[in-house]
Amino acid sequence: MTTELSREKIIEQLREQGLRITNQRKVILDVILKNNCSCCKEIFYEASKIDPAIGRATVYRMMNTLEELGVIDRGKQYEICYEGLFGTKKDQTTLLTKEEMKELPKDIWYPALKKMLRALGEIKDEDISVVVKVSRKSS
């Protein structure tokens, strides 16, 4: 999914909650989508470079709002939480391509991944936990 599609989906959710979409909120959202910030202080620092009028309280309020909506996960360095954004079920995985978004059940992709990792000699018979880090290219 492109950053622009994520941005528009989040803005849509904010509007559905009756929130105004201010330029400052857009700047903060863009900073989150384009940077790998680990705390509100870093987000504030980057956002204030773009708009010096942004205050720390504005950043903290926006972060709380995004967390309440389930759009971000503070345990994941303020990265966009696609499960919250798209309402993905716990054992469901979303496959994102440039053209579409497709839900894949765990019983389809998990056995295939384990088989491939065994063939490569990376695992034997143990279960695995899967963590996928999606890097966003800067514009």
Side-chain angles (χ1 to χ4, degrees), residues 22-112:
T22 64
N23 284 334
Q24 290 184 340
R25 284 186 173 150
K26 288 179 184 177
V27 168
I28 294 166
L29 190 54
D30 289 341
V31 167
I32 296 166
L33 287 166
K34 293 178 183 168
N35 296 291
N36 193 15
C37 297
S38 62
C39 64
C40 286
K41 188 176 182 181
E42 287 179 36
I43 295 167
F44 167 71
Y45 178 75
E46 293 299 322
S48 64
K49 285 182 192 175
I50 299 166
D51 182 351
I54 292 177
R56 289 178 196 254
T58 302
V59 173
Y60 279 91
R61 281 191 302 269
M62 179 65 166
M63 299 309 295
N64 286 334
T65 299
L66 293 173
E67 187 173 34
E68 287 170 10
L69 290 174
V71 172
I72 62 165
D73 183 347
R74 288 183 189 238
K76 296 181 180 175
Q77 292 188 327
Y78 295 116
E79 292 179 359
I80 297 302
C81 179
Y82 291 99
E83 292 86 5
L85 189 57
F86 295 105
T88 304
K89 296 178 185 102
K90 186 174 183 172
D91 286 339
Q92 199 76 7
T93 301
T94 304
L95 174 66
L96 303 171
T97 67
K98 289 181 180 179
E99 293 81 28
E100 68 177 331
M101 179 176 69
K102 182 177 181 179
E103 297 293 326
L104 295 174
K106 183 179 178 181
D107 60 342
I108 290 176
W109 63 264
Y110 187 76

